[in-house]
Amino acid sequence: GESVGLHLPTLSVQEGDNSIINCAYSNSASDYFIWYKQESGKGPQFIIDIRSNMDKRQGQRVTVLLNKTVKHLSLQIAATQPGDSAVYFCAEGGTYKYIFGTGTRLKVLA
Amino acid sequence: NAGVTQTPKFRVLKTGQSMTLLCAQDMNHEYMYWYRQDPGMGLRLIHYSVGEGTTAKGEVPDGYNVSRLKKQNFLLGLESAAPSQTSVYFCASSPGLAGGQETQYFGPGTRLLVL
């Protein structure tokens, strides 16, 4: 499939290790944040979200951390698997207007 | 549930030609969106709709028009295609404020090449 970002930062992780993907957001007034996963040639897929009144939220194998002081969002993936290989990007905003990041490419090494 | 579907998957146009991209969702979502995705850039909002019969401009609306005649469908039109409109187009939908959830669900995308 076509690459959605030719010069994306890349994170290479050994299979079974934990992955941490970071995102700096721009608007201190944003009250809702989402992490998406996008595989090559496919549409973005919702992973996990968090509201600004929280600083941590956990899902299945994923955790999102929000640091409003420095406007930073991170996605932690536990026990990374080959199927986790994709581009991950964050979105900030609320209601119906969002700002999307350009993404980080995660490569899982066997 | 098929979720969000888009038609066509891929299209090649010549400069000046017109076409319509179709988006359909079967989740009874109020809000629908059209985005474009270009290399090295985040998704950019073209137009959106907060309900049947309503549309609004997003970040990059020039050269595009939209219509939301039925709640489940959101059409994106290019009246006179330009090479700068070569991109991957994604449609998304969300329940909206009344639905109590803001998460957007995306379609598989339409790849458009304008020569």
Side-chain angles (χ1 to χ4, degrees), chain A residues 1-6 31-32 34 36 38 40-44 46 49 51 89 93-98 100-102, chain B residues 31 33 35 37-43 45 48 50 57 88 90 94 97 100-109 111:
Chain A
E2 180 180 326
S3 172
V4 299
L6 298 178
D31 62 4
Y32 183 59
I34 312 170
Y36 285 97
Q38 188 173 23
S40 184
K42 297 185 178 180
F46 171 83
D49 58 359
R51 293 209 169 272
F89 57 88
T95 311
Y96 45 79
K97 292 208 173 161
Y98 294 90
F100 291 84
T102 54
Chain B
Y31 293 6
Y33 318 78
Y35 292 92
Q37 188 175 46
D38 301 293
M41 304 182 74
L43 290 163
L45 183 64
Y48 63 97
V50 298
K57 294 180 179 180
V88 181
F90 288 102
S94 65
L97 292 178
Q101 188 191 26
E102 300 175 61
T103 306
Q104 296 185 7
Y105 297 87
F106 285 83
R111 299 174 188 282

Side-chain angles (χ1 to χ4, degrees), chain A residues 27 29 44 57 60 63 69 77 90 97 103:
Chain A
N27 187 353
R57 188 162 189 226
Q60 188 174 17
T63 300
T69 302
I77 304 173
C90 64
K97 292 208 173 161

Side-chain angles (χ1 to χ4, degrees), chain A residues 46-76:
Chain A
F46 171 83
I47 301 173
I48 191 168
D49 58 359
I50 188 169
R51 293 209 169 272
S52 59
N53 60 355
M54 304 171 69
D55 53 22
K56 180 179 180 179
R57 188 162 189 226
Q58 288 184 292
Q60 188 174 17
R61 273 202 315 121
V62 294
T63 300
V64 54
L65 299 178
L66 175 62
N67 185 332
K68 293 182 287 293
T69 302
V70 294
K71 294 192 289 185
H72 184 267
L73 197 65
S74 70
L75 175 70
Q76 300 179 2

Side-chain angles (χ1 to χ4, degrees), chain B residues 7-8 19-23 34 74-78 89 110 112:
Chain B
T7 309
M19 78 163 294
T20 300
L21 282 67
L22 172 64
C23 175
W34 275 108
F74 195 29
L75 278 62
L76 178 71
L78 285 73
Y89 291 86
T110 294
L112 177 64

